[in-house]
Amino acid sequence: MVRPPRPLAFLVGSRSSEENTAAGIYGIIVGAAVMAASHASSSVAVIVAVLVTLVVYWGAERYARIVARRIHSGRRRQPHELRPELTTGWAMVSASFLPLAVLVAARLLGAELSTAVLWALGCSTVLLGLAGWEVGRDGRLSPGERWASAATAAAFGGALIVLKILLH
């Protein structure tokens, strides 16, 4: 049986894993939060703020996992054991690429920065809604449960849109 493509596959690449999917969803939320709270005066500054924040979060998360494994295993990790730790979870950063592309496109089409950011936040909200919808893939949830899951996930983005409007 051929399965239809997953709508969020572009977030985590062809080798999707539970951890990469979670990292991608988290990256969308964090990236949107940075955009919502940003008082930057240019789209370049917003993009840099989002990407630097996500790279720091990714690095901190990877570091915390390496340290926790060392604490719990009681031994030094070999270099070949570190490689998987350092090459996982990059979806936390790459998940922000589509919302940032929407921001750039809106600016190129003449939108004010605040409007372009709202469009990017809207894109993030749609992606989160799709993630919520994916929870019910393969018949695990009823249609009503899938809609509830999608609405709950999209509510994170909606809350950040409200925050952006209230802050600016």
Side-chain angles (χ1 to χ4, degrees):
M1 179 172 132
V2 176
R3 293 176 56 154
R6 293 193 180 273
L8 299 178
F10 73 93
L11 293 178
V12 294
S14 60
R15 294 178 9 189
S16 178
S17 70
E18 182 178 323
E19 186 167 343
N20 272 341
T21 301
I25 292 167
Y26 188 61
I28 292 169
I29 294 169
V30 171
V34 172
M35 284 189 274
S38 175
H39 291 283
S41 60
S42 73
S43 52
V44 171
V46 172
I47 291 166
V48 168
V50 168
L51 293 176
V52 167
T53 300
L54 288 171
V55 168
V56 168
Y57 270 63
W58 172 81
E61 197 269 341
R62 294 290 91 204
Y63 173 77
R65 286 187 183 274
I66 290 168
V67 169
R69 281 229 168 98
R70 171 89 191 263
I71 289 169
H72 290 279
S73 71
R75 67 177 184 82
R76 180 179 303 210
R77 307 280 308 269
Q78 298 301 313
H80 72 277
E81 294 175 300
L82 291 175
R83 186 174 184 272
E85 292 290 346
L86 296 172
T87 58
T88 303
W90 188 249
M92 183 181 297
V93 177
S94 64
S96 69
F97 293 170
L98 184 59
L100 291 176
V102 168
L103 174 85
V104 169
R107 288 292 283 152
L108 290 173
L109 292 172
E112 295 292 324
L113 179 59
S114 60
T115 302
V117 168
L118 286 172
W119 276 97
L121 291 173
C123 175
S124 297
T125 302
V126 168
L127 291 174
L128 291 169
L130 284 172
W133 182 257
E134 276 291 283
V135 169
R137 189 174 178 95
D138 300 326
R140 288 174 275 159
L141 296 179
S142 71
E145 291 170 324
R146 280 185 95 174
W147 281 110
S149 176
T152 300
F156 286 104
L160 292 169
I161 290 171
V162 170
L163 176 66
K164 179 67 175 177
I165 291 168
L166 291 176
L167 287 177
H168 304 282

Short mmCIF file of all heavy atoms in Angstrom, two decimals, residues 27-29 31-33 35 95-96 98-100 102 117-130 153-154 156-158 160-161:
data_model
loop_
_atom_site.label_atom_id
_atom_site.label_comp_id
_atom_site.label_asym_id
_atom_site.label_seq_id
_atom_site.Cartn_x
_atom_site.Cartn_y
_atom_site.Cartn_z
N GLY A 27 10.93 24.13 16.96
CA GLY A 27 11.59 25.20 16.22
C GLY A 27 10.60 26.19 15.62
O GLY A 27 10.86 27.40 15.61
N ILE A 28 9.47 25.70 15.13
CA ILE A 28 8.45 26.61 14.60
C ILE A 28 7.94 27.53 15.71
O ILE A 28 7.80 28.73 15.53
CB ILE A 28 7.28 25.82 13.97
CG1 ILE A 28 7.75 25.10 12.71
CG2 ILE A 28 6.11 26.75 13.64
CD1 ILE A 28 6.73 24.10 12.18
N ILE A 29 7.67 26.93 16.88
CA ILE A 29 7.14 27.72 18.00
C ILE A 29 8.17 28.75 18.47
O ILE A 29 7.85 29.93 18.66
CB ILE A 29 6.69 26.81 19.16
CG1 ILE A 29 5.49 25.96 18.70
CG2 ILE A 29 6.33 27.63 20.39
CD1 ILE A 29 5.13 24.83 19.66
N GLY A 31 10.82 29.95 16.82
CA GLY A 31 11.05 30.94 15.77
C GLY A 31 9.92 31.96 15.70
O GLY A 31 10.16 33.17 15.57
N ALA A 32 8.70 31.49 15.83
CA ALA A 32 7.55 32.40 15.82
C ALA A 32 7.56 33.31 17.04
O ALA A 32 7.24 34.50 16.94
CB ALA A 32 6.25 31.59 15.76
N ALA A 33 7.96 32.78 18.18
CA ALA A 33 8.03 33.59 19.40
C ALA A 33 9.07 34.71 19.23
O ALA A 33 8.83 35.85 19.65
CB ALA A 33 8.36 32.73 20.60
N MET A 35 10.00 36.07 16.38
CA MET A 35 9.43 37.05 15.46
C MET A 35 8.40 37.92 16.15
O MET A 35 8.35 39.14 15.95
CB MET A 35 8.78 36.35 14.25
CG MET A 35 9.76 35.84 13.24
SD MET A 35 8.95 35.27 11.74
CE MET A 35 8.57 33.59 12.18
N ALA A 95 13.11 24.12 10.41
CA ALA A 95 11.65 24.32 10.40
C ALA A 95 11.28 25.79 10.25
O ALA A 95 10.18 26.11 9.82
CB ALA A 95 11.04 23.76 11.68
N SER A 96 12.20 26.68 10.58
CA SER A 96 11.92 28.12 10.48
C SER A 96 12.08 28.65 9.06
O SER A 96 11.70 29.78 8.79
CB SER A 96 12.83 28.90 11.42
OG SER A 96 14.17 28.85 10.94
N LEU A 98 10.64 28.03 6.08
CA LEU A 98 9.44 28.41 5.32
C LEU A 98 8.81 29.69 5.88
O LEU A 98 8.53 30.62 5.10
CB LEU A 98 8.43 27.26 5.25
CG LEU A 98 7.19 27.55 4.41
CD1 LEU A 98 7.57 27.87 2.96
CD2 LEU A 98 6.24 26.37 4.44
N PRO A 99 8.58 29.80 7.20
CA PRO A 99 8.06 31.08 7.69
C PRO A 99 8.98 32.26 7.37
O PRO A 99 8.49 33.35 7.04
CB PRO A 99 7.95 30.86 9.21
CG PRO A 99 7.76 29.38 9.35
CD PRO A 99 8.60 28.78 8.26
N LEU A 100 10.29 32.06 7.43
CA LEU A 100 11.21 33.15 7.09
C LEU A 100 11.14 33.47 5.60
O LEU A 100 11.26 34.64 5.21
CB LEU A 100 12.63 32.81 7.52
CG LEU A 100 12.87 32.76 9.03
CD1 LEU A 100 14.29 32.32 9.34
CD2 LEU A 100 12.55 34.09 9.69
N VAL A 102 8.44 33.24 3.83
CA VAL A 102 7.20 34.03 3.72
C VAL A 102 7.47 35.48 4.13
O VAL A 102 7.00 36.41 3.46
CB VAL A 102 6.07 33.40 4.56
CG1 VAL A 102 4.88 34.34 4.70
CG2 VAL A 102 5.64 32.07 3.95
N VAL A 117 5.87 40.18 9.09
CA VAL A 117 6.03 39.31 10.25
C VAL A 117 4.71 38.61 10.56
O VAL A 117 4.69 37.41 10.87
CB VAL A 117 6.57 40.09 11.47
CG1 VAL A 117 6.46 39.26 12.75
CG2 VAL A 117 8.01 40.51 11.24
N LEU A 118 3.60 39.33 10.46
CA LEU A 118 2.29 38.69 10.69
C LEU A 118 2.04 37.58 9.67
O LEU A 118 1.49 36.53 10.02
CB LEU A 118 1.17 39.73 10.68
CG LEU A 118 1.11 40.62 11.92
CD1 LEU A 118 0.08 41.74 11.72
CD2 LEU A 118 0.78 39.80 13.16
N TRP A 119 2.44 37.80 8.43
CA TRP A 119 2.30 36.75 7.42
C TRP A 119 3.15 35.53 7.78
O TRP A 119 2.72 34.39 7.65
CB TRP A 119 2.67 37.27 6.03
CG TRP A 119 1.53 37.97 5.36
CD1 TRP A 119 1.30 39.31 5.32
CD2 TRP A 119 0.45 37.35 4.66
NE1 TRP A 119 0.15 39.57 4.63
CE2 TRP A 119 -0.40 38.38 4.21
CE3 TRP A 119 0.13 36.04 4.36
CZ2 TRP A 119 -1.55 38.13 3.48
CZ3 TRP A 119 -1.02 35.78 3.64
CH2 TRP A 119 -1.85 36.82 3.21
N ALA A 120 4.38 35.79 8.24
CA ALA A 120 5.26 34.68 8.65
C ALA A 120 4.68 33.95 9.85
O ALA A 120 4.74 32.71 9.92
CB ALA A 120 6.65 35.22 8.96
N LEU A 121 4.10 34.69 10.79
CA LEU A 121 3.45 34.06 11.93
C LEU A 121 2.23 33.25 11.48
O LEU A 121 1.96 32.18 12.04
CB LEU A 121 3.05 35.11 12.97
CG LEU A 121 4.20 35.79 13.71
CD1 LEU A 121 3.68 36.94 14.57
CD2 LEU A 121 4.97 34.79 14.53
N GLY A 122 1.53 33.74 10.49
CA GLY A 122 0.41 32.97 9.93
C GLY A 122 0.89 31.67 9.32
O GLY A 122 0.27 30.61 9.51
N CYS A 123 2.01 31.71 8.62
CA CYS A 123 2.61 30.49 8.05
C CYS A 123 2.98 29.52 9.17
O CYS A 123 2.70 28.32 9.08
CB CYS A 123 3.84 30.86 7.22
SG CYS A 123 4.75 29.44 6.60
N SER A 124 3.58 30.04 10.23
CA SER A 124 3.94 29.19 11.37
C SER A 124 2.69 28.55 11.97
O SER A 124 2.70 27.37 12.33
CB SER A 124 4.65 30.02 12.44
OG SER A 124 5.87 30.53 11.96
N THR A 125 1.62 29.30 12.07
CA THR A 125 0.37 28.80 12.63
C THR A 125 -0.20 27.68 11.77
O THR A 125 -0.65 26.65 12.29
CB THR A 125 -0.65 29.95 12.78
OG1 THR A 125 -0.07 30.95 13.62
CG2 THR A 125 -1.96 29.47 13.37
N VAL A 126 -0.15 27.85 10.46
CA VAL A 126 -0.62 26.80 9.55
C VAL A 126 0.23 25.54 9.70
O VAL A 126 -0.30 24.42 9.77
CB VAL A 126 -0.62 27.30 8.08
CG1 VAL A 126 -0.82 26.15 7.10
CG2 VAL A 126 -1.69 28.36 7.88
N LEU A 127 1.55 25.71 9.78
CA LEU A 127 2.43 24.55 9.97
C LEU A 127 2.13 23.83 11.27
O LEU A 127 2.11 22.59 11.32
CB LEU A 127 3.90 24.98 9.92
CG LEU A 127 4.42 25.45 8.56
CD1 LEU A 127 5.84 25.98 8.71
CD2 LEU A 127 4.34 24.34 7.54
N LEU A 128 1.90 24.58 12.32
CA LEU A 128 1.55 23.95 13.61
C LEU A 128 0.22 23.23 13.51
O LEU A 128 0.05 22.12 14.04
CB LEU A 128 1.52 25.00 14.72
CG LEU A 128 2.89 25.57 15.09
CD1 LEU A 128 2.73 26.79 15.99
CD2 LEU A 128 3.75 24.51 15.74
N GLY A 129 -0.75 23.84 12.82
CA GLY A 129 -2.04 23.17 12.61
C GLY A 129 -1.88 21.87 11.84
O GLY A 129 -2.50 20.85 12.18
N LEU A 130 -1.02 21.88 10.82
CA LEU A 130 -0.74 20.65 10.07
C LEU A 130 -0.11 19.59 10.97
O LEU A 130 -0.42 18.40 10.86
CB LEU A 130 0.18 20.93 8.89
CG LEU A 130 -0.46 21.60 7.69
CD1 LEU A 130 0.61 22.00 6.67
CD2 LEU A 130 -1.50 20.70 7.05
N ALA A 153 -2.85 22.76 18.34
CA ALA A 153 -1.49 23.07 17.87
C ALA A 153 -1.44 24.47 17.26
O ALA A 153 -0.51 25.25 17.53
CB ALA A 153 -1.04 22.03 16.86
N ALA A 154 -2.43 24.81 16.45
CA ALA A 154 -2.47 26.13 15.82
C ALA A 154 -2.65 27.24 16.85
O ALA A 154 -2.24 28.38 16.61
CB ALA A 154 -3.58 26.18 14.77
N PHE A 156 -1.02 27.71 19.48
CA PHE A 156 0.29 28.26 19.84
C PHE A 156 0.63 29.42 18.91
O PHE A 156 1.06 30.48 19.35
CB PHE A 156 1.39 27.19 19.76
CG PHE A 156 1.36 26.20 20.87
CD1 PHE A 156 0.87 24.92 20.67
CD2 PHE A 156 1.83 26.53 22.14
CE1 PHE A 156 0.85 23.99 21.70
CE2 PHE A 156 1.81 25.62 23.17
CZ PHE A 156 1.32 24.34 22.96
N GLY A 157 0.46 29.20 17.62
CA GLY A 157 0.73 30.26 16.65
C GLY A 157 -0.23 31.42 16.81
O GLY A 157 0.16 32.59 16.72
N GLY A 158 -1.50 31.10 17.04
CA GLY A 158 -2.49 32.15 17.25
C GLY A 158 -2.15 33.02 18.44
O GLY A 158 -2.29 34.26 18.40
N LEU A 160 0.78 33.66 19.55
CA LEU A 160 1.93 34.50 19.19
C LEU A 160 1.52 35.64 18.25
O LEU A 160 2.08 36.73 18.33
CB LEU A 160 3.04 33.65 18.58
CG LEU A 160 3.68 32.70 19.61
CD1 LEU A 160 4.58 31.69 18.92
CD2 LEU A 160 4.44 33.48 20.67
N ILE A 161 0.53 35.40 17.42
CA ILE A 161 0.00 36.49 16.58
C ILE A 161 -0.64 37.55 17.47
O ILE A 161 -0.41 38.76 17.29
CB ILE A 161 -1.00 35.95 15.54
CG1 ILE A 161 -0.25 35.13 14.48
CG2 ILE A 161 -1.79 37.08 14.89
CD1 ILE A 161 -1.16 34.36 13.53
#
